Amino acid sequence: MLSLSTARETGSTFNNQEFNNPFKSLKYVLLYPTNFLKFKSTLAIFALTFISLLLFLVIISSNRYSIISFSRYDAIPRNITTFPTIFSDEKEEKTNISHILFGIGGSAKTWNDRRHYSELWWKPNVTRGFVWLDENPETTTSSESFMPYRVSGDTSDFKYSCSYGSRSAVRMARILKESFELGLENVRWFVMGDDDTVFFTENLVVVLGKYDHNQMYYVGGNSESVEQNVIHSYSMAYGGGGFAVSYPLAAELVRVLDSCINRYHKFFGSDQKVQGCLSEIGIPLTRELGFHQLDIRGHSYGLLAAHPVAPLVSLHHINHLEPLFPNQTRIDSLKRLIGAYEMDPGRILQQTVCYDLKRNWSISVSWGYTLQLYPSLVSAKDLTTAWLTFKTWRTWNLGPFTFNTRFFSQDPCKNPVFYFMDRVEKTGSDRTSTTYKKQALTTSDAHQCEHVDYAAALAIHSFNVSAPHFNPELWNKAPRRQCCEIINDGDTTEGGTPQLLIRGCNQYESVTPN
């Protein structure tokens, strides 16, 4: 029997001999089956490791994205998209208008009448997108001021069973997919809207620029009428007001959209179908208050004169509402509003409040649109509550709405004197001056108050308002209404013009007088 030490010595001698004669080592392996199996296993592991390393080096040298498995972009054909630079250390360019692709829903029958709305905001060689029609229009125009059109694909095989709706909802819902499949480069956001939607594109860029376009976002706004939200959804971005879908979310959506449309064949509108599909992906609506569906009837004055502290992004249903400005057509009214917007995009419709404590007057300014003069001290809470100049969309009732409203008083002395923006101009490189002239809101709006204080207010025929150019970076901070002060109260006995100044609020400043 060999001792442990003898065995070690014997094994050591044997190993040294085999090392010096490799053929003897092979003979040893072949003579002992257990060692032969170990040899085969070692050889197989080595070969597998070598092949894996070789494949890894080949793949990473040809495509640096392939090391990310199960990427959300794997299912997207490479020839129709531009991929984000995942590993780049370079600072990414800020979102601008070239990163947005518009998909506008329209029809051949209405396009000739409604294209004038898109002409107001469409900028040739700047904005990108198409209006998608059900067929070629009877008359075409080569004017570059009009948005180019495309004809949607056939949707006759899709289900649609909403008894009070239109099958065109199916075609409209697929516009996002058809826009995506165009494969245009450098698209970060797909923005959907109707052919009577007016976009304020610079503010749209500011709003979308707040969000990481490499993430899955669905951005838009609800209806103003509660009845619409109850019937359709509070979780939905209403398509007429416009909504935005980031590229990664669009990439996920287009894979399931067609089958999803059939699953939601009972839904009324295209926007409701899209939201149903997005709910299956798990993406909620990110609400932005500047998207305006305008599901209201009558006059939008009350809503726009008390606009929320948010950039104006869109207006819809303009052709169903009274003109924005008195004694003007709808298109001319929009041109006037857009003229002010182009002077200072971020400030358009932003409300501010002033008080004249000498005469106990309250003044509300909706920049670029209207000014209201109250011959009394009115709380900021009331001044920022919308006048009820409209009714609900479906039933034409006085509410409810998704925001607070107030009625005009039966006492004419408690209602304001109305002024509308008449002129806007630049004063220097970074300031504007707007003039607001007295004008009745409606033809039946007659001031019958004979109180002496009200007579003094009626003697003011116009206001001048000075303001610095609105810094869009302010929208990336906590929202706050800007402040206002009276620089020159005017000489009412000579029909003077009061001068107002809008500015940022000071620390601890409150607009309400103590």
Side-chain angles (χ1 to χ4, degrees):
M1 181 180 292
L2 294 175
S3 65
L4 183 59
S5 60
T6 305
R8 287 199 194 99
E9 292 173 0
T10 304
S12 176
T13 303
F14 176 80
N15 289 337
N16 288 336
Q17 291 173 349
E18 295 301 323
F19 180 80
N20 294 329
N21 190 343
F23 294 100
K24 289 185 178 181
S25 298
L26 179 60
K27 178 181 178 181
Y28 173 77
V29 170
L30 295 174
L31 289 175
Y32 295 88
T34 302
N35 291 324
F36 177 70
L37 292 175
K38 291 181 179 179
F39 175 78
K40 287 181 65 178
S41 299
T42 303
L43 184 61
I45 293 172
F46 175 79
L48 182 61
T49 302
F50 177 79
I51 293 172
S52 299
L53 179 61
L54 182 62
L55 288 174
F56 177 81
L57 293 175
V58 170
I59 292 173
I60 196 172
S61 63
S62 62
N63 186 353
R64 64 177 177 174
Y65 295 104
S66 297
I67 64 174
I68 301 177
S69 61
F70 304 107
S71 168
R72 63 171 176 260
Y73 300 103
D74 287 348
I76 306 171
R78 294 297 176 96
N79 63 338
I80 67 169
T81 184
T82 301
F83 292 86
T85 308
I86 299 175
F87 299 109
S88 175
D89 292 330
E90 297 180 4
K91 187 175 181 180
E92 194 171 43
E93 180 185 14
K94 290 181 64 175
T95 294
N96 60 57
I97 191 63
S98 70
H99 297 130
I100 297 173
L101 184 65
F102 290 94
I104 304 301
S107 71
K109 292 181 179 179
T110 62
W111 177 235
N112 282 334
D113 293 330
R114 293 188 175 185
R115 66 187 182 186
H116 299 289
Y117 290 110
S118 65
E119 186 182 14
L120 294 173
W121 60 270
W122 181 260
K123 296 181 179 179
N125 302 319
V126 177
T127 43
R128 294 198 294 168
F130 301 92
V131 57
W132 293 82
L133 306 177
D134 49 351
E135 59 184 2
N136 287 308
E138 294 181 0
T139 58
T140 59
T141 177
S142 59
S143 174
E144 292 186 353
S145 62
F146 295 131
M147 184 185 303
Y149 76 89
R150 296 220 171 194
V151 177
S152 300
D154 180 30
T155 58
S156 58
D157 291 337
F158 286 84
K159 297 179 182 178
Y160 187 81
S161 60
C162 182
S163 60
Y164 57 92
S166 169
R167 277 196 60 86
S168 62
V170 174
R171 181 178 66 84
M172 298 288 192
R174 297 189 75 253
I175 288 176
L176 195 152
K177 180 176 182 177
E178 291 181 305
S179 298
F180 182 90
E181 290 176 342
L182 293 175
L184 301 183
E185 295 184 352
N186 204 27
V187 176
R188 295 181 180 180
W189 295 92
F190 295 88
V191 174
M192 304 293 108
D194 286 354
D195 55 3
D196 61 341
T197 305
V198 176
F199 285 105
F200 297 80
T201 54
E202 291 195 42
N203 290 339
L204 174 64
V205 169
V206 169
V207 168
L208 297 183
K210 297 191 300 183
Y211 302 102
D212 181 359
H213 62 90
N214 292 312
Q215 303 297 317
M216 292 193 288
Y217 277 106
Y218 167 48
V219 183
N222 289 144
S223 171
E224 293 80 7
S225 293
V226 168
E227 61 187 19
Q228 289 292 94
N229 293 313
V230 170
I231 292 172
H232 301 295
S233 178
Y234 274 101
S235 302
M236 179 180 86
Y238 281 68
F243 64 87
V245 173
S246 63
Y247 188 95
L249 180 54
E252 292 281 352
L253 180 61
V254 298
R255 295 189 304 107
V256 300
L257 186 61
D258 285 350
S259 60
C260 186
I261 287 174
N262 280 331
R263 282 194 293 279
Y264 295 113
H265 59 90
K266 294 182 179 180
F267 282 2
F268 169 80
S270 60
D271 43 11
Q272 192 177 16
K273 294 177 184 294
V274 169
Q275 190 275 326
C277 300
L278 291 175
S279 68
E280 295 186 0
I281 300 174
I283 304 302
L285 172 63
T286 298
R287 292 175 177 82
E288 283 286 346
L289 298 177
F291 289 86
H292 293 293
Q293 171 76 3
L294 293 186
D295 274 346
I296 55 177
R297 304 284 186 172
H299 207 305
S300 60
Y301 177 87
L303 189 157
L304 301 183
H307 194 273
V309 185
L312 173 64
V313 175
S314 67
L315 296 174
H316 182 231
H317 281 156
I318 294 297
N319 55 323
H320 292 281
L321 295 165
E322 295 295 325
L324 299 180
F325 290 87
N327 304 320
Q328 290 196 349
T329 66
R330 294 182 177 91
I331 294 296
D332 287 341
S333 287
L334 283 169
K335 287 180 178 179
R336 176 172 290 192
L337 186 72
I338 291 173
Y341 153 78
E342 290 175 342
M343 287 286 188
D344 195 348
R347 191 173 293 283
I348 190 68
L349 294 188
Q350 295 309 302
Q351 187 184 17
T352 188
V353 173
C354 290
Y355 291 96
D356 183 344
L357 299 183
K358 293 181 180 179
R359 292 177 287 195
N360 287 336
W361 285 0
S362 305
I363 302 171
S364 171
V365 181
S366 177
W367 191 91
Y369 181 43
T370 186
L371 182 148
Q372 300 168 15
L373 171 60
Y374 299 76
S376 61
L377 294 180
V378 182
S379 71
K381 175 66 171 62
D382 287 339
L383 293 177
T384 55
T385 300
W387 286 113
L388 193 57
T389 60
F390 42 82
K391 297 180 180 180
T392 59
W393 175 257
R394 181 178 293 270
T395 59
W396 293 68
N397 287 325
L398 295 176
F401 298 97
T402 56
F403 48 87
N404 294 324
T405 59
R406 55 179 172 146
F407 290 96
F408 285 104
S409 175
Q410 296 296 320
D411 180 359
C413 295
K414 294 183 179 180
N415 294 327
V417 182
F418 295 100
Y419 300 77
F420 286 87
M421 196 271 294
D422 179 69
R423 179 178 54 84
V424 57
E425 60 183 0
K426 285 188 176 181
T427 54
S429 59
D430 61 349
R431 300 192 69 83
T432 59
S433 175
T434 47
T435 300
Y436 302 80
K437 288 189 175 182
K438 185 174 64 176
Q439 197 167 8
L441 178 60
T442 64
T443 55
S444 61
D445 181 24
H447 297 289
Q448 299 176 351
C449 179
E450 298 179 357
H451 194 280
V452 62
D453 291 337
Y454 207 94
L458 286 174
I460 302 295
H461 296 291
S462 63
F463 281 84
N464 286 338
V465 178
S466 175
H469 192 274
F470 191 91
N471 181 3
E473 291 298 324
L474 292 174
W475 295 124
N476 295 322
K477 299 181 179 181
R480 184 182 185 182
R481 220 175 37 245
Q482 292 204 321
C483 290
C484 173
E485 60 182 281
I486 300 174
I487 303 300
N488 172 20
D489 58 9
D491 187 348
T492 58
T493 60
E494 298 180 3
T497 301
Q499 308 287 329
L500 308 182
L501 171 66
I502 298 177
R503 55 170 175 75
C505 298
N506 298 319
Q507 189 176 17
Y508 308 122
E509 182 176 5
S510 171
V511 298
T512 304
N514 294 324

